[in-house]
Amino acid sequence: MSNPDELLVAISAAVESERSNQMSLTVVVGGAVITGRLAPEAVWRERVAEVLRDSDRLGPFSDVFARGSRAGRSSRGEAPTHLHFHLARILQGSLGIPETGGMYRVAIEDVSAWTVGDISYSDR
């Protein structure tokens, strides 16, 4: 088991405590580059639950996300273990998948490299 980057844990804890979704981050996980904005876990869970709730086939799964802890780890004094991305893309060549951004949960201990900011490509 790897040791999570203390600075990345601190960034995640700040996002959790401030309830902000403006921190852009790019990470490398298992060779994949994911770029987007971080969200507090409770906000992320709520948004995923909303998307699932609107689906005829996936609606029943919304409860799994909605019943997660509303208070989150930070209120219990626990360090975050995951990054919660929204408006995120997996970068593949000159494409970001999905184009509109998705919702990703990444274990902090699995991050092998990272940088502050959202990376985007342009053909120009």
Side-chain angles (χ1 to χ4, degrees):
M1 178 183 281
S2 65
N3 292 326
D5 183 313
E6 291 177 20
L7 187 52
L8 198 51
V9 171
I11 290 169
S12 182
V15 169
E16 289 293 332
S17 67
E18 295 294 321
R19 304 310 237 190
S20 171
N21 62 359
Q22 298 304 305
M23 180 62 180
S24 295
L25 196 70
T26 300
V27 298
V28 178
V29 180
V33 177
I34 300 172
T35 189
R37 278 198 253 155
L38 295 179
E41 181 177 359
V43 172
W44 183 87
R45 283 176 173 265
E46 182 179 305
R47 180 65 185 124
V48 172
E50 287 172 8
V51 170
L52 293 175
R53 202 174 297 119
D54 292 342
S55 169
D56 292 336
R57 293 178 304 165
L58 301 175
F61 292 100
S62 68
D63 289 344
V64 172
F65 292 89
R67 70 175 171 240
S69 171
R70 295 282 184 229
R73 293 178 176 276
S74 60
S75 66
R76 296 188 308 255
E78 298 175 30
T81 58
H82 290 78
L83 301 169
H84 296 87
F85 285 92
H86 73 115
L87 302 174
R89 297 172 321 280
I90 297 174
L91 301 182
Q92 178 68 38
S94 62
L95 298 174
I97 305 166
E99 274 186 38
T100 57
M103 307 289 285
Y104 296 101
R105 176 178 160 112
V106 175
I108 293 172
E109 69 180 17
D110 292 340
V111 174
S112 59
W114 62 274
T115 188
V116 172
D118 187 351
I119 296 176
S120 61
Y121 286 103
S122 174
D123 291 336
R124 296 178 199 160

